[in-house]
Every structure is written in structure tokens, then in C-alpha cells.
Amino acid sequence: MKKQTMQAIILAAGKSSRFNTGNTKLSFTLCGQEMIAYPAKLLSAMNVPMTLVVGFQQETIKDIIKKYAIEKTTFVEQEKQLGTGHALMCSQHTWTEDHILVLNGDIPLITHDVINALCTHHTTHDAAVSFITTYSSDNSAEGLGRVIKKDNTIEIIEARNCTTEDFTQLPLNAGIYLFNRQFLETTLLSLTPNEKTGEIYITDLIKYASDKKLTVTTINASFDNVRGVNTLKELWAAEHIKRSELLTYWMNKGVRFAAALNVCLDLDIEIGAGTFIGTGAILLNGTRIGKNCIINAFSYISNTTIHDNVEIKPHSAICDSLIHQGCQVGPFAHLNKSIIQDNVIIGNFIEVKNSTIGEDKTIYFACLGGEMGSENSNHTVQ
Ligand code: UD1
Ligand code: MG
């Protein structure tokens, strides 16, 4: 049998009205990475070519995809945001592969495993459409579409239109679908606007397939992997889950956190075994910390390399710098675009900018002299 091929469509044109920030929610970050980059990078790593349907603040979305150099990506425009079904219609001219995977852009915690399981299930059953369901009693699931199965039929009803009394018990639609391309080509244009909202819903395709007695299959996934982000509260919840994953990863690599819940970690960081991270520490993208370091409470470190056996004392802010092994920095030090050589002590309240310190093996430390708050109160003394 000919190998089945797949391409993906990511729906990313929506107005993010429930975010209430004025900006597309897909540009907001979780652990330092924009929401839209999560599904896009995942599909790219799986070697699935993708089209993003963009509209609201489309330049912002395109810039994010460009920033990560995500390959095999094209864009189509949905000029007016007339619903998820309409967004999919806008992409029709790009369909070339046997199966079309359609994903909402607002599901940052989606994984390879979930997508692979959907593909396997879909092809094994030779389905017209397969989609992912989930269960949750979490408040943030209230607005999701409900999957109603009865008398050999299946359909998805949006929560706001759902009249079934016990609709809280029903499976939820995760917003991840795999369509046979021929099915989509023959049915998509028959979608009509919803009577109540005027929007065209992708979810109506499930009823179409079911009414035509075509095969519709579902698989269940954990809610945390497929939760949609529609509000800032849901963004906070999703980021919290992502951060917990990162904390677990680093703990398993031998990193000790004083108060893991109060630490802020980005995706693109490294921490060596035996290192201790104090409460309230903020470690942002591009930060590489060596082995057996101590990063004390409330230190802010961004895009900085720190070699082994360094101690950063509390409340230090360090950006775009390189600190060689054995140094001590802070408390309350500020380093920017600087290099600190081996075993140097940068004492309290010192600010170092655009400098290399310690080449001559001298040790620099701060000495509070003069009147508090006067311009000369911070000295660097040899
Ligand atoms: C959608 C599903 C719902 C499902 C939920 C899962 C529909 C009608 N409802 O609801 O059944 O439970 O996802 O999270 O599909 N978008 C466009 N153009 C538009 C509208 C939206 O590109 O005109 C994009 C958005 O940018 C977003 C995605 O489609 O990435 C989903 O839109 P959203 O408004 O979040 O749908 P939900 O209400 O969450
Ligand atoms: Mg959503």
C-alpha cells in the first residue's frame, strides 16, 4: 500500500477577544517561548509540512515563526475572522497530502505522542475524520465543545449551544482533528454559519461525516496535554504545567531548588548537576549555569554563561555576560555585557557594564563609603 502522507493546518487567525489584552494570545510566552511556536516547532520536529492560517496581527505571528527559523511553513490569510471552519476553508488551496491534520493554535502543551496516536488510530480505521477528546472538571474546560455520541451518531456541540442537562459529564473536543483530504474537499464547502453566532464551525464537519455514515473515530488524551488557552488565567495554568515539567527535568539532572514553586525557568536554559537555585530566582533564555554553583534568592539571570563553582549572591541582576569559574557576585550586583575572569569577587552593590574584570588577577569588591545615596557611594576598590 502507498505510504500515507500528512500535512498540517494551524488555525492562528483569531482575535483573542477573551484575552482582553488587545494583542493576539498566540504571541504570549510560556516559559519564554511564544504560544504559537509550541505546535509549530513540534510539527517541524516531526517533519510535517504546515500552513498557518493568519489574520489578526498576522505580522506578529509571521515574525515569531521567522525568529525560530521553522522550516516547511507557509501562511494563508483569513481576512475576516468568521470562525474555525472558515479559517480552514481559507487554506484549501494548499492541500496536497492524503491527510490534513488541523490544530488550534492555542494548545501549547500538545505532544508528539498525542499526534502520533491520532495518526495511527486514523489510518488503522481508515477514517474520514478522527479527533481528540478529553475529560476535565477544571473550570477552564467549561467553554469547550462537548462530544455527543448516541445511536451510532457523533457530533460536537459548543458549550454555549449545548442543551443536554448533564453536559458537564460529556467528553470534550480538544480542537485537534485529522481529516482524509477527499472527505474535506467534498464536505467543507457545505458548512454553513451557526444560527446563533454567525460563525462557521469546523466542528460541524463531525456531524456531516456521521450523518453520511462515514467512519469517525476519536481517541482520548490527557487534558493537560491538550488544554486550550483562551484567557490569561488559562495561560497562567498552562505555563505552570510547563514550568513543572522543566523543574522535574532539572531535578532529575541533580539540580536542587530551594522553593521550586517560586522559581521562574525558561525553556532554553541549562543547569549543571549539584547546583542550587534559591527562591525567587529568574533564569531566562540563553542562560547556561555550570556544576556546583549557588544561585541565591531573587537573582535575575538572562542570556548569561556561568561556569562551575560560582556563587551568585541574592538580588543580583546579570544579563548577556560570561562569568568564569570560582567567582562570587553580589549581593545586589548588576552585570551587563561583561566578562568576569576566574575566581573574581564582585561585591555588593557593584555595577559592571561592557567590561572585562579580573584579567590582572585582582579582586574587585564594593565598599560603601561616603554618604548613603550620594553618587560616589559605590566604589570599586582593589
Ligand atoms: C474551539 C472549538 C471547541 C473546542 C476548543 C478546544 C470550534 C467552533 N470550537 O473552541 O469545540 O472544544 O476549540 O480548545 O472550533 N481561529 C481562527 N479564525 C477564526 C476563529 C478562530 O484562525 O475565525 C483560531 C484561533 O486563533 C485559535 C483557534 O482557531 O487558535 C481556536 O479558536 P478559539 O476561539 O480559541 O476556539 P474555542 O472557543 O477555544
Ligand atoms: Mg481556544
Side-chain angles (χ1 to χ4, degrees):
M1 200 176 98
K2 179 178 156 273
K3 192 174 176 296
Q4 304 279 293
T5 59
M6 180 172 84
Q7 67 186 102
I9 311 289
I10 305 183
L11 308 183
K15 289 197 197 109
S16 311
S17 31
R18 284 165 282 175
F19 240 55
N20 278 327
T21 63
N23 288 317
T24 167
K25 61 185 175 185
L26 301 176
S27 67
F28 280 67
T29 56
L30 297 87
C31 300
Q33 180 172 287
E34 295 82 354
M35 200 184 322
I36 190 63
Y38 280 89
K41 284 175 77 172
L42 179 73
L43 292 171
S44 171
M46 294 175 78
N47 213 14
V48 177
M50 77 198 101
T51 300
L52 282 92
V53 182
V54 290
F56 179 65
Q57 298 185 343
Q58 56 181 286
E59 292 312 322
T60 306
I61 306 281
K62 287 178 183 170
D63 285 348
I64 294 166
I65 300 298
K66 216 181 287 166
K67 177 171 105 178
Y68 291 102
I70 299 172
E71 288 173 358
K72 295 194 183 170
T73 309
T74 53
F75 297 94
V76 297
E77 187 177 359
Q78 182 192 27
E79 265 182 52
K80 280 195 181 156
Q81 281 66 61
L82 301 176
T84 47
H86 179 259
L88 182 57
M89 284 173 180
C90 296
S91 73
Q92 182 157 6
H93 63 279
T94 68
W95 304 345
T96 51
E97 308 304 326
D98 301 322
H99 300 280
I100 314 286
L101 174 70
V102 182
L103 307 169
N104 287 350
D106 63 354
I107 40 170
L109 304 180
I110 182 71
T111 64
H112 284 82
D113 290 351
V114 171
I115 292 180
N116 281 336
L118 179 68
C119 295
T120 307
H121 199 72
H122 178 76
T123 42
T124 310
H125 289 86
D126 195 18
V129 50
S130 305
F131 66 100
I132 293 180
T133 57
T134 188
Y135 286 92
S136 173
S137 51
D138 189 303
N139 280 351
S140 57
E142 262 171 23
L144 297 191
R146 262 58 188 179
V147 181
I148 301 179
K149 291 182 184 179
K150 61 174 177 213
D151 308 329
N152 281 330
T153 65
I154 178 165
E155 65 180 316
I156 301 172
I157 309 272
E158 288 309 290
R160 65 179 92 86
N161 303 329
C162 197
T163 49
T164 315
E165 269 171 33
D166 60 347
F167 85 103
T168 50
Q169 305 300 316
L170 295 170
L172 307 163
N173 169 32
I176 304 160
Y177 321 83
L178 187 52
F179 294 100
N180 176 296
R181 176 161 63 92
Q182 281 164 2
F183 163 73
L184 258 196
E185 280 168 347
T186 49
T187 51
L188 191 62
L189 283 178
S190 25
L191 284 182
T192 52
N194 181 275
E195 280 174 15
K196 287 192 183 149
T197 62
E199 287 192 9
I200 299 177
Y201 292 163
I202 195 171
T203 45
D204 287 347
L205 288 168
I206 305 304
K207 187 168 180 338
Y208 271 66
S210 174
D211 287 349
K212 291 199 165 81
K213 309 263 179 280
L214 299 171
T215 308
V216 180
T217 65
T218 61
I219 60 159
N220 198 57
S222 144
F223 182 62
D224 278 350
N225 287 142
V226 295
R227 50 165 76 221
V229 174
N230 298 306
T231 62
L232 282 171
K233 189 205 159 219
E234 287 163 18
L235 176 68
W236 169 76
E239 185 173 40
H240 190 69
I241 293 167
K242 190 76 215 168
R243 194 173 289 150
S244 302
E245 279 174 17
L246 295 177
L247 284 162
T248 306
Y249 175 85
W250 289 116
M251 282 181 197
N252 288 338
K253 297 235 165 213
V255 178
R256 165 95 207 277
F257 294 91
L261 275 178
N262 294 330
V263 168
C264 183
L265 300 181
D266 273 357
L267 276 184
D268 178 22
I269 64 166
E270 277 169 31
I271 315 174
T275 285
F276 170 89
I277 309 289
T279 189
I282 299 178
L283 307 179
L284 302 184
N285 282 331
T287 293
R288 310 274 174 259
I289 298 172
K291 292 189 202 128
N292 300 315
C293 294
I294 300 175
I295 309 296
N296 270 305
F298 305 106
S299 290
Y300 172 102
I301 306 175
S302 166
N303 191 37
T304 287
T305 298
I306 295 176
H307 289 174
D308 299 346
N309 301 307
V310 167
E311 180 170 3
I312 308 293
K313 301 211 172 192
H315 296 274
S316 297
I318 305 171
C319 302
D320 305 319
S321 294
L322 167 61
I323 301 174
H324 284 276
Q325 56 131 352
C327 292
Q328 267 182 41
V329 175
F332 297 95
H334 182 196
L335 269 52
N336 194 7
K337 296 195 175 78
S338 293
I339 299 172
I340 314 297
Q341 302 287 18
D342 289 4
N343 302 317
V344 169
I345 298 175
I346 302 287
N348 44 336
F349 295 102
I350 282 195
E351 183 171 30
V352 182
K353 281 187 183 168
N354 303 313
S355 306
T356 299
I357 302 285
E359 271 177 322
D360 50 1
K361 301 286 177 209
T362 50
I363 293 182
Y364 287 73
F365 59 92
C367 158
L368 258 184
E371 287 174 33
M372 288 287 283
S374 76
E375 267 191 16
N376 295 326
S377 60
N378 292 343
H379 298 293
T380 302
V381 181
Q382 271 179 239

